[in-house]
Amino acid sequence: MGYKHLIVGLWCLLALEFAVALSDKYSSRYDNIDLDAILRNNRALNGIIKCILEKGPCSPEGRELKTDLPDALRTECAKCTDAQKRLIRKASRYLMENRANDWKEITNKYDPDRQFSDSFQRFLKSDALL
C-alpha cells in the first residue's frame, strides 16, 4: 500500500510542478492577435499607445500589455511565449522606425534611467524566433 501512495504522491508532485512551470509564462490569450492589422490601423494603434502611456482608456489587450510590460522589459521577456516574443519584436521595431516619438514616450515611461536599454536591444536583435 505504501508503494502506491508514493507513486500517487510523485504524480501529484509532477503535476504541481508542471502547473507552476506553466504559470511562469504570461497569458497566451492574445498570442494569435493580428498585429499587422493593428499596425495598419492608426486608430487601434493610437488607442493601445494611449493605454500603455496612461493617457486614455484601455482595451482588455492593452490592459494586459500595460501590466506585463515592465516585467517583460526587466527580464528580456523571460515569461513571454515564443509568439509574444515575435509580436513584441515586430511591434517595437515598427514603433522605432515609424513612430519614433511614441517609442520615445514609451521608453521614457517604462525605462526612464535606460537601465534595461542594452538588454532590451539585445532581445530585439535576437532573431532566433523570427
Side-chain angles (χ1 to χ4, degrees):
M1 200 63 152
Y3 178 72
K4 287 182 182 180
H5 283 97
L6 177 62
I7 290 177
V8 169
L10 286 173
W11 275 110
C12 289
L13 182 60
L14 286 172
L16 178 62
E17 285 182 29
F18 183 71
V20 168
L22 288 178
S23 69
D24 285 346
K25 296 286 185 189
Y26 301 125
S27 168
S28 62
R29 180 178 356 190
Y30 302 111
D31 281 13
N32 296 315
I33 197 164
D34 187 351
L35 180 60
D36 291 324
I38 293 170
L39 296 177
R40 286 190 305 265
N41 182 332
N42 276 332
R43 185 173 175 217
L45 184 55
N46 287 338
I48 292 171
I49 291 170
K50 285 180 181 179
C51 165
I52 63 175
L53 291 174
E54 297 179 348
K55 293 182 175 184
C58 291
S59 65
E61 300 91 346
R63 195 172 15 264
E64 191 165 320
L65 176 62
K66 184 172 73 170
T67 300
D68 294 342
L69 188 60
D71 183 65
L73 179 62
R74 282 190 303 275
T75 65
E76 294 182 55
C77 220
K79 294 180 184 177
C80 295
T81 65
D82 289 348
Q84 290 163 350
K85 289 177 183 178
R86 285 189 293 273
L87 292 169
I88 289 171
R89 285 185 180 111
K90 185 172 189 167
S92 297
R93 288 175 180 152
Y94 178 87
L95 291 174
M96 287 176 183
E97 294 170 12
N98 299 291
R99 304 208 32 181
N101 289 337
D102 292 327
W103 180 255
K104 185 177 179 181
E105 276 192 76
I106 293 167
T107 302
N108 287 340
K109 177 166 181 59
Y110 290 95
D111 191 17
D113 300 326
R114 304 299 189 264
Q115 73 184 96
F116 306 113
S117 181
D118 290 343
S119 61
F120 192 71
Q121 288 299 320
R122 275 193 308 274
F123 166 75
L124 290 178
K125 290 177 183 175
S126 171
D127 289 331
L129 296 174
L130 293 178

